[in-house]
Amino acid sequence: MEIVRSHRQLAAAAAAAAAGGAGALPTYRAAPQLEVRLEEFELFAIDRLRVLKGISDGLSRGKRPEEMEKLVCELWKTHMRHQDPAETLNKDIISHFVLRLVYCRTEELRKWFLSMETTLFRYRFRLESPESQRMLMTEFQLPYKALPHSEFEVVKDKLSQVARSIGQSANVESVFFKVPFEEVPDLVASRRVFLSKGYAYVAMSQVVSLVVTQFRCNISKALVLTNRKWTATIKEQEKDRLTPIVEALSNAYFGPDYSQPKDAVEISLKDIDQLAKSSFPLCMRHMLDKLRENHHLKHGGRMQFGLFLKGAGLKLEDALAFWRAEFSQKVGSERFDKEYAYSIRHNYGKEGKRTDYTPYSCQKIISATPGVGDHHGCPYRHFGDENLRAALNKMGVGGHALEEIMDKVKNRHYQLACTLTFEATHGVSCDSGINHPNQYFSESQKVLRAKVGAVIYYTLTVFLVLCSYYLAELIFQFNMWGFNAQNQTVESQSTT
Amino acid sequence: MGRDDEPVDSMEIDGQQQLKVEGPAAVPDGFNADYLRVYYGKLFPYGDFFQWLCYANDGKHPGCDQSYVGRREFSFTLENDIYLRFQSFDSAAELESSIKEKCPFKIDIGPVYSVDPAKRHAYAQSGNNVFVPVERELIFDIDISDYDDVRYCCSGADVCKECWPLMTIAIKILDTSLRDDFGFNHILWVYSGRRGVHCWVCDTRARKLRNEQRAAVADYFRVYKGGENALKKVSLAGPVLHPFLARSYTDVLESFFEDKLLLSQKLFASEERCQKILDLIPDENVASELHDKWQGNSRSSISKEDVNAARWKQLKTTLQLGKHKAQGLRRCVEEIVFLYTYPRLDMEVSKHMNHLLKAPFCIHPKTGRVCVPIDPNNCDDFDPTAVPTLSQLLGELNAAGFQTDSENNWERTSLEKSIRFFRTSFLQPLLKACKEELESAYNAKLQQSKNSLNW
């Protein structure tokens, strides 16, 4: 891709051919030979990022496929669509390749980009006509032929049973592909296909899974290659032109990093219960309660809760003391030191491959699959109705607010439900919404500090008014003194 | 991370002394390093074990990958809980001498890596992540302790004849599906030594699965959902069941629940137990109707029919027949059966290539029992309480008299059946298939290079 500041000569058709893709949906197989203006380089990328970010939000709300389809369609229309289809295609391709540069640079960035691009592609593919879907299959060189009629007759009943089991009509579609089950992991995982002797019978309407597997695989490989190229040559070559844009782009839209506690806040061991009551989100309060009760948490819980505490500012030594105090009551401190301490140090990057692990985001927590005896996950998603109500009551949420929260839960807006809980317990609005348990914690602390400040301000004001009433002659001096005193108090409060 | 919840028992018996003092046949129960040393010295089937993990790459065939088995990770847990990870061995003899020397209390098998795991640091210098797992059996781990909310005979790590059948049906359901649905042929089931079973799917295709695909297989088997706070842990949506679930239900679960579990666990024997099942019925009216009925008849009628069977029958008729055929209730009977009987997998074990799993033929330190293979075709006959223990084997060895280092000491012990089964029913067919694959892959490669030469 050429990037120029001056005129551009667009050749959308050529671009389409180069990037692969028969019609409106490109497969991004190779970077197109076309010129792009520097402003567009950035603007297009930002527009695409808005789409991907929207998808990411949708996924973390646990939207159903139909809702996602609608969401993707709308996002695309708002941010990417141009009157001229050739322009749209152009923007599509350019923005994709720019973001590849942006998101190729770390494992975490690659993972996010790959998963969002794949989701985008999946839902765009579903909107394509059957003919163009067939053409895309050819494009991906999928070697599958439709199941011959004789074979189809043999398994027809089973195919119909699968269709009904996922709520479709019993009239079986007539075009099926018999593929190795490895090619359609998502369909296997959700039992949406009939399996026999290692083959999955994929209906024409499910072909998207096959194509998406291929798409994902291509992009994944390409990202690794792009990263190599980027570090080897592009970064240096473009250090005055593209590099700053690329680096700014990846920061601009990636939420704050909670792997290091913010503002050098530290929490200490003795405050944990108090803080849990005032500032922990429900998921973390619940795990603390269970830990205190059972003196044990299973692996998933230790990870989710342990990393949260780390993000909130609990130092390694305190973390070890905290977990030891509980676990030793159940397994003995010797066994704690032998078997559990390692993984806590591991979380802090002191063992194994020494990665400093990041606290889990809401998205990750919501998508967890807690099993027997597990307490991690998102209460709004994983609790039963009654248990959730009881837990919220315990937090002091009731009445209208509670019903509103339950309503969000019913519509699977788990993060909104958590946001409403925050608002109900803190008495302030939280416009940014809750995306991360550590964000919940720090927002809560902010609010509480401000409240403490406000109380002091209020008391001082009353005091001053009284003073001024009785000691009219000293009003002026008192005002001066009071003003300073207020500031000092507030400051000293916030530093303690 | 360990999952057993009691600390390791201290060694009470000085095995060495006991061994010398006692007569030839009787060896006191227990587990200790000295017993274990005899086991590793005389009984552990190194040859078969190592051959398995070579997957025919140890032959003379030019298609063999000679580095293959040497890239496999073994992990030893020593007596004092020291973990030795990333051990690797190029030959059965190397493995044997290392095990005999270190006398591990537990041997775990990890994945095959891209490079020799013992030399991973050397490769780490070059960056680029060259040390990655590339192959691993598809594995499953099922623990009876995960069934604590549905068994009343034991809890935790304890197992008895009443609850072990839960493991048996887990074997049946997974084994059938792995063969019929996924097309796998080389499946090894192993008793974990105390409270569960392990499954090793060893087909080449299974070993090459990516993590995402492993997760898909595990999810295909997952019915039990939700953590401790989910109301309904099994929820079957849709007007009919997926063929796999339907087959599991009619072939295994339904009859097991009604003929065995219902009675052996006395699922309706108390108010509390009944309530637990009634809680699973979404329609409160129906639940309270049944509740009232049972309150009445618990004291009065001394019918010949077992109370559990009678109440289950009542529940079934109420839910399935007559006026309650509403959408929500239609699935309820099946949901209850699935909740009480369907296999509960430890999902994380299956999802990732680099999970370690205890090797077959290890001895479980708490029970002293050998982790013997289980024949899935005769799994009903498997009795965990009859599995040979370490002391029993040593006693048998003593009884047979120490013959001077015979190759197959195990032939004179009750381990014989297990090793024979491992060899003939698992290893031989596996190696045959591996050799054929090797041959055809090699021929294809030859053909290809020939073609390119011609061209």
Side-chain angles (χ1 to χ4, degrees), chain A residues 182 191 197 302 335 373, chain B residues 1 4 180 205 220 228:
Chain A
E182 292 95 330
R191 289 193 291 265
K197 292 290 167 202
R302 293 197 300 267
R335 224 182 121 210
Chain B
M1 189 147 290
D4 301 341
D180 294 354
R205 206 173 153 185
Y220 182 81
E228 285 301 285

Side-chain angles (χ1 to χ4, degrees), chain B residues 131-337:
Chain B
F131 180 64
V132 287
V134 289
E135 264 193 35
R136 205 272 184 277
E137 293 77 10
L138 175 63
I139 52 176
F140 298 95
D141 179 8
I142 310 167
D143 271 344
I144 194 78
S145 48
D146 283 337
Y147 290 72
D148 276 359
D149 60 325
V150 293
R151 56 181 187 143
Y152 300 114
C153 51
C154 316
S155 69
D158 297 331
V159 154
C160 71
K161 275 186 179 164
E162 307 295 344
C163 55
W164 181 260
L166 285 164
M167 293 289 108
T168 309
I169 58 160
I171 295 177
K172 284 184 187 170
I173 283 173
L174 293 196
D175 196 72
T176 308
S177 179
L178 286 168
R179 287 175 205 274
D180 294 354
D181 301 352
F182 291 95
F184 295 127
N185 296 309
H186 304 288
I187 302 169
L188 177 67
W189 288 94
V190 184
Y191 174 50
S192 74
R194 178 150 78 154
R195 55 170 167 180
V197 291
H198 296 158
C199 173
W200 301 75
V201 187
C202 302
D203 297 59
T204 310
R205 206 173 153 185
R207 279 180 279 135
K208 289 187 188 298
L209 291 175
R210 295 194 309 270
N211 284 342
E212 186 198 8
Q213 296 161 332
R214 287 166 200 268
V217 180
D219 275 327
Y220 182 81
F221 289 134
R222 187 163 72 110
V223 167
Y224 187 90
K225 282 182 187 161
E228 285 301 285
N229 281 285
L231 180 64
K232 255 181 135 182
K233 297 189 165 74
V234 168
S235 178
L236 306 166
V240 294
L241 293 178
H242 184 277
F244 157 64
L245 296 181
R247 185 188 61 208
S248 303
Y249 185 75
T250 49
D251 291 359
V252 184
L253 301 179
E254 189 179 23
S255 57
F256 170 72
F257 182 89
E258 297 191 340
D259 302 341
K260 297 229 179 80
L261 198 75
L262 192 58
L263 309 172
S264 70
Q265 296 292 333
K266 303 188 175 55
L267 295 179
F268 288 88
S270 73
E271 169 94 27
E272 192 192 340
R273 292 180 190 183
C274 289
Q275 195 53 48
K276 207 165 143 184
I277 290 173
L278 290 176
D279 284 345
L280 299 167
I281 300 173
D283 187 320
E284 279 178 34
N285 294 329
V286 178
S288 67
E289 181 190 322
L290 283 167
H291 182 257
D292 295 345
K293 215 182 267 179
W294 295 344
Q295 284 248 304
N297 75 8
S298 65
R299 263 162 284 143
S300 60
S301 75
I302 313 166
S303 92
K304 283 205 186 96
E305 204 178 4
D306 178 87
V307 67
N308 301 291
R311 287 178 173 176
W312 174 246
K313 207 190 274 168
Q314 276 173 341
L315 181 143
K316 250 171 69 167
T317 20
T318 318
L319 287 177
Q320 283 179 334
L321 300 172
K323 53 189 191 281
H324 295 304
K325 253 189 145 178
Q327 177 66 27
L329 296 183
R330 209 186 315 182
R331 287 269 85 89
C332 201
V333 171
E334 279 128 318
E335 281 172 351
I336 294 171
V337 173

Side-chain angles (χ1 to χ4, degrees), chain B residues 57-127:
Chain B
N57 281 299
D58 51 348
K60 297 272 180 286
H61 195 279
C64 284
D65 176 357
Q66 298 294 349
S67 79
Y68 181 84
V69 76
R71 288 184 277 123
R72 167 81 70 168
E73 175 187 358
F74 293 85
S75 162
F76 293 165
T77 309
L78 305 187
E79 182 176 4
N80 39 12
D81 268 337
I82 290 178
Y83 293 85
L84 298 177
R85 286 205 57 187
F86 301 116
Q87 311 287 301
S88 65
F89 307 100
D90 286 325
S91 68
E94 262 183 49
L95 173 77
E96 181 170 349
S97 68
S98 180
I99 290 181
K100 281 178 177 167
E101 179 210 333
K102 301 199 171 81
C103 194
F105 274 34
K106 183 164 160 242
I107 303 170
D108 283 298
I109 302 179
V112 176
Y113 285 94
S114 49
V115 296
D116 180 351
K119 300 188 185 117
R120 67 196 181 286
H121 293 302
Y123 292 99
Q125 307 301 325
S126 61

